[in-house]
DNA sequence: CTGGATCCCCCCTGATACTG
DNA sequence: CAGTATCAGGGGGGATCCAG
């Protein structure tokens, strides 16, 4: 199945564009968490997402809102309250995101082990022989 | 369903770690294309991925190989030939990636429209009134 | 053809301080 | 609480040259 036909090329460009937003780890985490929790306030999100800065959360939420994936509701109270949740389109994205989420927790350990194996082997190769790399690895 | 329990926190960390590699747009594109095409050579991949540089393709493939998601096979020929394909674990990732891929092509247009609407509305708000932002948007 | 090595710039990101 | 404004630093990523 060649990728060079029109539909696949279009997919490629769509992916490239969408991934510039969605491929960002913070966006994935926000969508994933909102998908699981429903509606959250700014600082609730901030506390749930490991290591995100206030600035990045603000930017991420703005971009998601701009792309029509997240709704932002301001309650004119004091102290201020702003709630975020997924739009209808955002909810459709939560499916693929959840798949990715599940895959991550299922294979995280395997990836860590693969890295360890790779690093060990590369280290051994480098120490043993730096010239004869001309054979298949794996 | 609170996110604060142990399993969800673990998922959060797994996501964070995995997304540092997988969330990268180039990795997603490489896995997606390899999943669709099976086995490809370096320059075949480079031609198929819109806008990737040689350096980034090399680094991306190395990282994917290190994480046990891609196999790299060197044929000691002249000119050199190197073929890449997904490992068993890589193939399991292709499922979620394909979902994301399909979602992208399905919703790309909607996202573009949402951006246009957002930008128009923001522009109008900024021009009309910069003080009274204290109402719900969306 | 498949990369390794190098230079270098831009922007992403975090930290901090301030406002409503 | 929910941001905005500003500054500074690091690294992601492109361009280029060279090697096997």
């Amino acid at each position: 199945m060649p990728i060079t036909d029109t539909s696949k090329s279009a997919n490629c460009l769509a992916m490239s564009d969408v991934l510039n937003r969605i491929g960002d780890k913070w966006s994935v985490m926000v969508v994933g968490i909102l998908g699981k929790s429903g509606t959250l306030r700014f600082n609730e999100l901030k506390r749930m997402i490991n290591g995100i800065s206030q600035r990045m959360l603000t930017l991420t939420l703005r971009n998601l809102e701009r792309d029509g994936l997240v709704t932002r509701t301001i309650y004119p109270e004091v102290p201020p309250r702003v709630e975020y949740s997924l739009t209808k389109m955002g909810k459709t994205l939560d499916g693929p995101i959840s798949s990715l989420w599940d895959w991550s927790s299922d294979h995280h350990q395997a990836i860590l082990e693969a890295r360890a194996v790779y690093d060990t082997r590369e280290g051994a190769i480098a120490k043993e022989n730096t010239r004869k790399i001309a054979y298949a690895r794996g």
Side-chain angles (χ1 to χ4, degrees), chain A:
Chain A
M1 180 198 283
I3 296 280
T4 49
D5 63 12
T6 313
S7 64
K8 294 302 175 188
S9 295
N11 281 2
C12 216
L13 292 177
M15 274 299 276
S16 187
D17 185 27
V18 171
L19 281 176
N20 279 324
R21 182 75 9 109
I22 303 307
D24 161 46
K25 63 178 278 189
W26 298 131
S27 296
V28 176
M29 310 256 327
V30 167
V31 171
I33 288 181
L34 283 180
K36 288 176 178 35
S37 304
T39 297
L40 291 173
R41 303 179 58 170
F42 185 86
N43 275 349
E44 290 175 331
L45 275 168
K46 187 168 185 304
R47 277 190 296 270
M48 284 183 181
I49 301 179
N50 188 289
I52 193 171
S53 66
Q54 185 189 52
R55 170 189 171 82
M56 279 303 101
L57 181 54
T58 300
L59 290 178
T60 300
L61 287 168
R62 282 293 182 285
N63 286 329
L64 290 174
E65 184 196 4
R66 186 168 102 101
D67 286 3
L69 298 170
V70 159
T71 63
R72 177 169 177 261
T73 308
I74 306 179
Y75 296 89
E77 304 172 355
V78 44
R81 180 162 57 104
V82 181
E83 291 186 346
Y84 296 91
S85 59
L86 295 181
T87 63
K88 186 178 177 184
M89 181 161 71
K91 289 196 177 81
T92 70
L93 176 58
D94 186 46
I97 295 285
S98 288
S99 300
L100 209 56
W101 200 289
D102 294 340
W103 188 94
S104 295
S105 65
D106 288 346
H107 297 83
H108 185 210
Q109 193 57 38
I111 287 181
L112 293 181
E113 291 166 6
R115 285 181 192 168
V117 169
Y118 181 94
D119 293 346
T120 300
R121 183 171 46 190
E122 289 302 296
I125 289 176
K127 189 168 62 178
E128 165 199 328
N129 192 335
T130 53
R131 290 167 300 176
K132 291 182 179 176
I133 313 290
Y135 53 83
R137 294 185 276 175

